[in-house]
Amino acid sequence: MSDPAGQLKEWTGEARLPELIQHHYGIRLKEVRPVGGVLRLDSDQGVFALKRVPVREELRWKLIRELADYLPQSGEGSLTGPIRTQRGGVTVAGHHHRYVLLPWIPGEIRDLREGGGWEATARALAGFHVSTKGFSPSRSAASRWVHTGHWRRIWRDLTRQVNMFKLAANLSGEPAPVDQLWLRQCAYAEGMLETADRYFERLGGDRTVVATRKGGEVCHCNIHRRNLIWDPEGKVRLIDWNRAVLDVRSRDLARFILYSYGRTGSCEPTTAILKAYQETAPLEEVEYALIYAQLLFPHRILRSLQRIYQEQKIPPHLAKGHLSSVMTTEDRKEGLLREFPRLIRRDFNVSIPRVDWLDRGRAVQGE
């Protein structure tokens, strides 16, 4: 006999969640089990997903609910938003955490390296971006998540964080292995931050970003195979909106291209992604350069440092290995950075500004 209360208590530490869910949503649980990063809830009214909401993330889910109401209910641009409570809320509070209830999306996760996965995902992403044109959320929902027109401020705030992390490692009385590794590697991160900032300035900065808003208003910001569900009809559905922000599409495309390169070590998926995307939503020339600016910025390193030093989500005995792996992955990215301008010129007849030291590196390798 299934014991939903016992299962939920085991996985969440919450003893009264079944009663809480019934009170707020009017559903009775039959069975509960973890699937990926959520809990699958089988109930008398169907199947749902229960997801924990990190601290200060409630407004992001309000944004996602408003976006789901704005988008079409089916098709490539559709989004399954959080279910409202019986009083119209978007999240509910347990004793230890807040939670959001989502419809369960049936389907499967696929390897994007097979069966045209890169292209199908690019088309779905294009459909989503096109559908977000004209979206204007309420002020309260958008307050923290407007990134369009604020790239420089955000990047410079992150640069200041890097300096603080460096200072923290320097001031440690007995530097941990991760501190020693970071102090040896910080010059690379600082150099990439400066490179990205200067390149962005050459493009016209935030004025250029704002000028490309007509391509869409919202970015998913975390496209990878486990955040994609292939439904029974063969359509790609985007899930897991934890990092969604109001920003231009070049940011999403850069992250997806970077993911494809990390999975394959090849630039071939880059061309496939950009060609498939433009079957639905053609890009302007300057957007290729904005994609490149995002590729230059060392997002992975900064996220790793935040998790180690700021959020302390990486246990001390694992921190060095985690940062080392991220730095290795970031170093491999140079192959993509060297090839991207040439690839764009060859396959799309678009010329974008180059980074001199990357070009010199390619010339040295070719000698």
Side-chain angles (χ1 to χ4, degrees):
M1 188 75 170
S2 177
D3 177 18
Q7 293 166 333
L8 283 171
K9 183 177 180 180
E10 177 183 354
W11 291 317
T12 68
E14 305 269 10
R16 303 291 299 275
L17 263 184
E19 294 95 325
L20 186 72
I21 291 170
Q22 183 176 349
H23 172 73
H24 285 288
Y25 298 101
I27 64 175
R28 295 178 181 272
L29 300 185
K30 296 179 179 180
E31 185 178 356
V32 180
R33 66 178 186 271
V35 178
V38 302
L39 291 175
R40 171 177 166 142
L41 309 181
D42 289 84
S43 78
D44 63 342
Q45 296 187 37
V47 185
F48 302 90
L50 186 70
K51 188 174 181 66
R52 197 168 86 180
V53 176
V55 176
R56 296 179 299 185
E57 289 285 310
E58 295 95 329
L59 287 180
R60 195 196 299 266
W61 285 104
K62 182 178 180 182
L63 173 69
I64 298 306
R65 180 62 263 171
E66 291 183 10
L67 179 61
D69 291 338
Y70 178 82
L71 297 182
Q73 298 304 303
S74 63
E76 298 287 8
S78 64
L79 181 158
T80 303
I83 297 170
R84 295 188 186 276
T85 67
Q86 295 186 74
R87 292 189 176 183
V90 175
T91 65
V92 297
H95 289 294
H96 303 295
H97 305 285
R98 296 193 73 87
Y99 300 90
V100 63
L101 190 70
L102 301 159
W104 185 262
I105 301 175
E108 62 179 354
I109 295 172
R110 296 183 183 177
D111 188 335
L112 301 185
R113 295 170 295 184
E114 301 173 357
W118 302 120
E119 294 89 339
T121 303
R123 294 185 193 102
L125 188 59
F128 167 69
H129 288 155
V130 168
S131 296
T132 69
K133 291 180 181 179
F135 173 61
S136 181
S138 64
R139 182 174 298 180
S140 62
S143 58
R144 291 185 57 199
W145 315 117
V146 179
H147 289 195
T148 307
H150 301 291
W151 285 19
R152 169 146 291 166
R153 175 183 59 78
I154 292 168
W155 286 10
R156 291 188 173 176
D157 285 347
L158 292 172
T159 299
R160 282 191 286 271
Q161 284 190 14
V162 166
N163 293 333
M164 291 298 297
F165 298 147
K166 181 180 177 181
L167 181 63
N170 262 317
L171 294 179
S172 177
E174 297 183 8
V178 69
D179 298 328
Q180 297 171 13
L181 173 63
W182 167 229
L183 290 173
R184 291 195 301 269
Q185 299 287 344
C186 63
Y188 175 81
E190 291 169 334
M192 292 307 299
L193 287 166
E194 183 178 353
T195 297
D197 187 65
R198 288 183 175 180
Y199 189 88
F200 186 52
E201 186 175 358
R202 288 173 66 186
L203 302 180
D206 284 311
R207 294 190 306 276
T208 301
V209 174
V210 172
T212 67
R213 282 182 61 183
K214 56 184 175 292
E217 297 285 351
V218 182
C219 280
H220 182 282
C221 282
N222 197 20
I223 302 294
H224 58 76
R225 75 181 193 93
R226 294 194 176 277
N227 283 345
L228 303 166
I229 297 292
W230 300 71
D231 70 19
E233 297 178 355
K235 292 181 179 179
V236 182
R237 304 287 298 275
L238 278 61
I239 62 170
D240 202 348
W241 297 88
N242 292 25
R243 300 185 190 176
V245 295
L246 296 165
D247 209 346
V248 294
R249 59 186 178 175
S250 50
R251 181 172 175 180
D252 256 347
L253 282 167
R255 299 292 179 89
F256 188 38
I257 287 168
L258 190 58
Y259 171 72
S260 73
Y261 187 79
R263 294 288 293 177
T264 65
S266 169
C267 291
E268 289 184 12
T270 298
T271 298
I273 288 167
L274 291 174
K275 285 184 175 179
Y277 185 95
Q278 293 185 93
E279 292 173 11
T280 300
L283 296 171
E284 298 179 7
E285 288 196 7
V286 71
E287 291 181 283
Y288 291 95
L290 289 175
I291 290 170
Y292 194 54
Q294 283 283 341
L295 293 176
L296 288 166
F297 197 85
H299 297 282
R300 284 197 188 103
I301 296 176
L302 297 184
R303 183 62 189 137
S304 176
L305 293 171
Q306 288 170 339
R307 296 184 71 196
I308 292 169
Y309 288 105
Q310 185 177 13
E311 300 168 6
Q312 297 184 345
K313 288 185 176 180
I314 308 295
H317 68 286
L318 298 177
K320 180 183 177 182
H322 172 76
L323 181 59
S324 178
S325 175
V326 169
M327 295 298 298
T328 298
T329 301
E330 192 71 15
D331 186 58
R332 290 175 183 157
K333 185 179 75 174
E334 283 194 18
L336 174 63
L337 296 180
R338 290 193 180 98
E339 287 300 311
F340 188 82
R342 184 188 65 81
L343 177 151
I344 294 305
R345 176 65 178 169
R346 182 195 70 202
D347 296 335
F348 301 96
N349 196 31
V350 173
S351 295
I352 64 173
R354 296 174 178 269
V355 175
D356 291 341
W357 67 265
L358 285 168
D359 276 350
R360 287 198 298 272
R362 185 174 65 185
V364 169
Q365 287 184 344
E367 291 176 354

